[in-house]
Amino acid sequence: MDALDKVLIWLVVGIPVALAMEPWAAFLHGKVWHRWGYILHESHHRPRTGPFEANDLFALTHAIPAICLILYGCVGPQGWVREAGFGFGLGLTAFGLAYALVHDGLVHERLPVGILKRSAWLRTIVAAHRVHHRDGEVPYGLFRGPAELRAAARRNREQKAVTTDEASPR
């Protein structure tokens, strides 16, 4: 297997993994962190008193597998499985880096990423995430947070229309 084959495998595996992490993270956020995992996640919804919060432990649930997969990709037996594992680890890492820069850096100002404020798209993500912190509800996703808010607003309008229609005399 030559270098180009390896890079191709990394991209074919890593890009979909990175993209799939947003709905996976939104699912975990809504169904785990705001339910039985709230014992750790609650620290994220309260003012931070130091550089870390208990919620930061959730990052380990993806960082540890990413590290293991990348290491396997470096020292495992040669073949497509090793390269796919490496690509999977890269995808997890790429999403984790993007998430940390935007969420921890831009939204919560835990990292020096002021230059990201220039992006109108990232500013809408910040605004959507702040709605989540205010209400404790949707959006649970980060990058798709603005779309989740629009969908929730549309559902609310449709529900109101149905309720109003049912209440009107015929």
Side-chain angles (χ1 to χ4, degrees), residues 33-34 42 69 86 131 138-139 164:
W33 303 344
H34 274 265
E42 182 179 25
L69 287 164
F86 188 76
V131 167
V138 169
T164 304

Side-chain angles (χ1 to χ4, degrees), residues 84-165:
F86 188 76
F88 202 104
L90 288 179
L92 290 173
T93 302
F95 179 81
L97 178 60
Y99 191 92
L101 289 173
V102 174
H103 180 265
D104 296 334
L106 189 58
V107 176
H108 295 292
E109 300 176 343
R110 293 172 69 181
L111 302 169
V113 294
I115 194 168
L116 297 179
K117 291 178 183 176
R118 295 179 183 175
S119 167
W121 175 63
L122 292 177
R123 287 195 306 269
T124 64
I125 289 170
V126 170
H129 193 70
R130 290 198 173 137
V131 167
H132 168 71
H133 272 270
R134 184 189 70 214
D135 300 342
E137 301 284 328
V138 169
Y140 292 111
L142 181 66
F143 296 104
R144 294 208 18 87
E148 286 181 47
L149 281 179
R150 287 190 300 273
R154 187 172 46 255
R155 283 191 303 274
N156 287 342
R157 282 193 307 275
E158 290 169 358
Q159 182 62 35
K160 251 185 200 173
V162 168
T163 305
T164 304
D165 190 43

